[in-house]
Amino acid sequence: MARSSQTDLAVLAVLSVAPMSGYAVREAIRDQLGHFWSESFGQIYPTLSSLTADGLVSKHPGERSGSSVFVLTPAGRERLLDLLRAPEVTSPPRNGLMMRVFFGHTLGPDAVAALIEEARQQALTQLATFDAIAAMMADEDDHREHQPYWALTVSAGRHSTLGALAWCDEALEALTTFPR
Amino acid sequence: MARSSQTDLAVLAVLSVAPMSGYAVREAIRDQLGHFWSESFGQIYPTLSSLTADGLVSKHPGERSGSSVFVLTPAGRERLLDLLRAPEVTSPPRNGLMMRVFFGHTLGPDAVAALIEEARQQALTQLATFDAIAAMMADEDDHREHQPYWALTVSAGRHSTLGALAWCDEALEALTTFPR
DNA sequence: ACAAACATGTAACCAGTTACATGATTCA
DNA sequence: TGAATCATGTAACTGGTTACATGTTTGT
């Protein structure tokens, strides 16, 4: 029984790169896809069970006692392709910072400026994170064929963060002229 | 009994601008906050009930038979301020496009290019939408004190979309050199 | 010996969406 | 008179998180 096709997609996708344990699947999602995707433990294990039951992955004993290695089956690869070709599922937007800016009159210009300054710092930190991710990916000597695509996602993160940064600067400047 | 403080925040916030019906609350969220927030009908009405029960809003008969107008109480305004000052609740990222780009080797460069081209068109459409929102907001002659803050959120959307657009162009260019 | 990392899994809870159900008012 | 819009509400479902519970292996 297929649960969320979104989680199916993520799990099948990471297993398409290499067979691994459930624990490793979570780490791969966190470390490699972390800036645009997330899955919790509570989703990954049940998903692996159902994918195994559906014959989309096969379960093999791992090196440690009690551990398993999950391998994508041909049917699993086909399902992955179907999911990748299916329309993207978009989640409804919820931006807490924008909510606070929109009602900035209630909060007051100084409080809003403080929030934006915080966002600005976060953006700067993120830029450094992207460098780290890029370096980590460039390190990987396996999976060379994936590398250019992976670089594109890092670049997307960078562009997005740069846009946010530009807005922060502009907004902070504009806020100085707001009535207080 | 307070349900999701997120929905409480959104509902209290729109009522802080003007008293209105539940239906109008939904319209305000969709039309004014739409590019960074969303609430469904199924959330709004129960939330209005619980806020009324908590004395944060008061319910008055509306002009039409059976309709109600909800008004923020002083306690409600205080609660709104608390929520605005509370740390932002961030939802875990889930970007379907990035997922497809990351596993672009599986999908193939042409399919990835098609997806990015689609995203590019969407971004262009969005830019036009921001103009429309800006125009609509500038129209509003009431609520002048909110206007500069509202403009900041539109500007944020614009910056973000511009960043996405720049990435699309770069990515489409880069993809032409990928092995196929 | 101990801590950190590896590893698996479940149960309770919660937020949120969708679909359903109903009816009044306005305008063309 | 009929369609669109205004208006309110509920119930079932689902996707997802968090916390709990347990145990092994590796490295220091």
Side-chain angles (χ1 to χ4, degrees), chain B residues 55-113:
Chain B
L56 302 177
V57 305
S58 57
K59 189 178 180 173
H60 303 277
E63 289 189 351
R64 285 154 164 259
S65 91
S67 77
S68 306
V69 172
F70 296 90
V71 182
L72 202 63
T73 66
R77 180 162 291 273
E78 221 164 291
R79 172 97 174 112
L80 170 59
L81 261 170
D82 284 348
L83 290 173
L84 285 173
R85 286 182 186 134
E88 295 154 31
V89 175
T90 53
S91 41
R94 280 229 166 155
N95 187 323
L97 176 60
M98 284 309 125
M99 182 60 104
R100 282 157 180 84
V101 171
F102 195 93
F103 296 99
H105 173 69
T106 306
L107 210 43
D110 294 335
V112 173

Side-chain angles (χ1 to χ4, degrees), chain A residues 22-23 27 41 45 64 66 68 92 94:
Chain A
Y23 188 87
E27 282 201 313
F41 262 116
Y45 284 112
R64 287 157 163 256
S68 305
R94 280 228 167 156

Side-chain angles (χ1 to χ4, degrees), chain B residues 21-23 27 41 45 64 66 68 94:
Chain B
S21 69
Y23 188 87
E27 281 200 315
F41 261 116
Y45 283 113
R64 285 154 164 259
S68 306
R94 280 229 166 155

Side-chain angles (χ1 to χ4, degrees), chain B residues 86-162:
Chain B
E88 295 154 31
V89 175
T90 53
S91 41
R94 280 229 166 155
N95 187 323
L97 176 60
M98 284 309 125
M99 182 60 104
R100 282 157 180 84
V101 171
F102 195 93
F103 296 99
H105 173 69
T106 306
L107 210 43
D110 294 335
V112 173
L115 290 174
I116 296 177
E117 182 54 46
E118 207 181 307
R120 195 174 153 275
Q121 291 304 324
Q122 267 176 38
L124 291 172
T125 305
Q126 270 238 329
L127 283 180
T129 309
F130 287 129
D131 288 333
I133 295 174
M136 190 173 62
M137 283 177 175
D139 251 10
E140 288 268 355
D141 220 37
D142 305 326
H143 327 306
R144 283 226 155 275
E145 70 276 22
H146 289 289
Q147 231 253 299
Y149 293 99
W150 295 0
L152 283 185
T153 67
V154 176
S155 165
R158 199 179 280 288
H159 273 286
S160 163
T161 303
L162 250 24

Side-chain angles (χ1 to χ4, degrees), chain A residues 135-156:
Chain A
M136 191 173 59
M137 282 177 176
D139 252 10
E140 288 268 357
D141 220 38
D142 304 327
H143 326 305
R144 284 227 155 274
E145 69 276 22
H146 290 289
Q147 230 254 298
Y149 293 99
W150 295 0
L152 283 186
T153 67
V154 176
S155 166

